[in-house]
């Protein structure tokens, strides 16, 4: 019946993508005492057989009260919902006037699950929330069906939200596509490095071409192009090796290339020492 449904979807923040992970109803064990209260109306009505007719109204109204009160309690349990979403947990309860208690996922510090002996038999338990706030509007949720599974659901939501270290766990599709993603990233990185090397080589070629166009002169403080060193002749000219006789000429032959680079005026003025013996007589 829509009249006795809390309509929890009206309280979702649909604009921000909030969705319901689990909607928890009260376990049927929470209605046991209410059902026993309604059942107690039957023996109360049996009192009519022993009471005088003037007192019939007493057991009648007492039985009516027990039925109405028990039915109200059952309806209240039906209207009490505990909702787990991807952003928060909240509780909606109330028949005529509704009350909502909300706790964001980020403020949940600890969840205690208490399962009594009967709860282990009939599969229900109680949740106790510990949050960062001192005054909590949502602390204890009683008669939760399948408490262990619901506790794991809340822990899974907290883990996916990245609040317990490690962030959200990857899905099966993400784990399968991880090697392909790593290969793509490596290929993109290699292409980027190769492009950077090509750009650097191109810039070097342009710089060398510009330097060679300027004739190797460094006008703006740029470094000169690298050139190969020119070997220096370390011996005297071949035509004069047989005619070195003076001390000055022997010294110049010992020095690397001095005899080849000296101007003509720097030679010894005694030219007769270089002349052969058959020309010295003339």
């Amino acid at each position: 019946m829509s009249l006795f449904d809390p309509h929890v979807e009206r309280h979702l923040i649909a604009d921000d993508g909030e969705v319901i992970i689990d909607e928890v109803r009260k376990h049927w064990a929470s209605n046991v005492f209410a059902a026993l209260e309604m059942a107690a109306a039957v023996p109360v009505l049996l009192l009519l057989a022993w009471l005088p007719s003037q007192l019939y109204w007493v057991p009648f109204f007492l039985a009516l009260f027990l039925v109405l009160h028990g039915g109200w309690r059952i309806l209240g349990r039906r209207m009490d919902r505990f909702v787990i979403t991807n952003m928060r947990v909240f509780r909606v309860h109330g028949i005529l006037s509704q009350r909502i208690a909300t706790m964001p996922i980020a403020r949940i510090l600890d969840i205690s699950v208490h399962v009594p002996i009967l709860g282990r038999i009939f599969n229900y338990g109680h949740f106790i929330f510990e949050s960062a706030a001192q005054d909590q509007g949502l602390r204890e949720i009683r008669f939760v069906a399948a408490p262990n599974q619901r506790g794991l659901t809340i822990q899974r939501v907290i883990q996916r939200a990245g609040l317990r270290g490690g962030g959200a766990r990857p899905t099966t599709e993400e784990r399968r596509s991880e090697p392909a993603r790593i290969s793509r990233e490596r290929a993109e990185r290699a292409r980027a490095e190769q492009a950077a090397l090509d750009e650097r080589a191109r810039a070097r070629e342009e710089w060398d071409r510009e330097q060679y166009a300027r004739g190797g002169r460094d006008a703006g403080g740029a470094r000169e192009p690298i050139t190969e060193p020119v070997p220096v002749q370390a011996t005297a000219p071949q035509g004069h090796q047989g005619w070195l006789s003076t001390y000055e000429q022997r010294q110049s032959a010992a020095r690397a290339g001095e005899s080849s680079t000296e101007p003509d005026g720097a030679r010894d003025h005694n030219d007769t020492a270089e002349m052969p013996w058959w020309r010295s007589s003339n």
Side-chain angles (χ1 to χ4, degrees):
M1 298 174 62
S2 60
L3 181 62
F4 301 111
D5 192 283
H7 299 287
V8 296
E9 63 276 359
R10 297 182 301 181
H11 306 288
L12 297 178
I13 310 174
D15 296 339
D16 293 339
E18 185 179 18
V19 294
I20 296 176
I21 304 299
D22 192 6
E23 182 179 349
V24 183
R25 301 171 181 264
K26 289 289 186 181
H27 192 268
W28 60 264
S30 63
N31 296 321
V32 170
F33 291 100
L36 291 177
E37 184 178 359
M38 295 178 65
V42 177
V44 170
L45 291 176
L46 293 178
L47 295 176
L48 296 174
W50 292 278
L51 291 177
S53 60
Q54 295 84 3
L55 299 177
Y56 282 173
W57 62 272
V58 176
F60 177 79
F61 282 104
L62 182 58
L64 182 61
F65 172 78
L66 292 175
V67 171
L68 293 178
H69 188 264
W72 186 265
R73 291 177 60 183
I74 292 176
L75 182 60
R77 298 291 192 275
R78 179 181 174 83
M79 297 287 290
D80 194 343
R81 302 291 175 85
F82 174 62
V83 183
I84 304 171
T85 71
N86 57 338
M87 297 181 180
R88 54 178 175 155
V89 294
F90 65 92
R91 178 191 178 193
V92 179
H93 59 104
I95 300 176
L96 299 179
S97 61
Q98 279 192 343
R99 286 178 292 181
I100 303 174
T102 303
M103 182 183 298
I105 292 294
R107 295 177 62 178
I108 298 177
L109 300 180
D110 189 22
I111 303 174
S112 300
V113 181
H114 173 62
V115 182
I117 297 177
L118 293 177
R120 299 183 64 182
I121 298 174
F122 298 108
N123 193 21
Y124 72 88
H126 314 304
F127 281 178
I128 300 175
F129 290 91
E130 297 291 340
S131 70
Q134 295 181 355
D135 297 330
Q136 305 178 51
L138 184 66
R139 175 174 174 80
E140 187 175 5
I141 305 296
R142 298 181 59 82
F143 295 101
V144 177
N148 295 327
Q149 288 78 4
R150 265 54 188 268
L152 291 177
T153 300
I154 298 176
Q155 296 292 342
R156 193 177 297 112
V157 171
I158 295 175
Q159 186 70 19
R160 288 177 179 176
L163 302 174
R164 292 287 175 84
R169 299 182 61 182
T171 61
T172 304
E173 293 296 332
E174 292 175 350
R175 288 195 298 268
R176 290 177 179 176
S177 61
E178 186 69 15
R181 184 184 64 82
I182 294 176
S183 301
R184 288 195 301 270
E185 290 181 355
R186 289 179 178 176
E188 292 176 358
R189 192 181 303 113
R191 286 195 295 268
E193 292 177 356
Q194 185 63 35
L197 292 176
D198 295 342
E199 183 66 23
R200 190 180 305 171
R202 192 181 303 107
R204 178 65 182 180
E205 291 177 359
E206 293 178 358
W207 186 85
D208 290 342
R209 193 180 301 111
E210 182 180 356
Q211 293 300 317
Y212 284 125
R214 293 179 180 178
R217 292 188 297 271
D218 188 5
R223 57 176 183 173
E224 296 181 356
I226 300 175
T227 57
E228 296 292 335
V230 179
V232 180
Q233 187 177 1
T235 59
Q238 295 291 335
H240 295 275
Q241 288 184 0
W243 310 106
L244 297 179
S245 59
T246 63
Y247 174 77
E248 292 82 357
Q249 290 172 342
R250 288 195 299 271
Q251 289 295 105
S252 63
R255 292 190 298 268
E258 284 191 7
S259 61
S260 62
T261 57
E262 288 181 351
D264 294 339
R267 291 186 178 183
D268 187 71
H269 62 278
N270 189 8
D271 295 336
T272 59
E274 299 180 1
M275 298 177 60
W277 60 270
W278 64 79
R279 294 186 61 184
S280 61
S281 59
N282 293 336

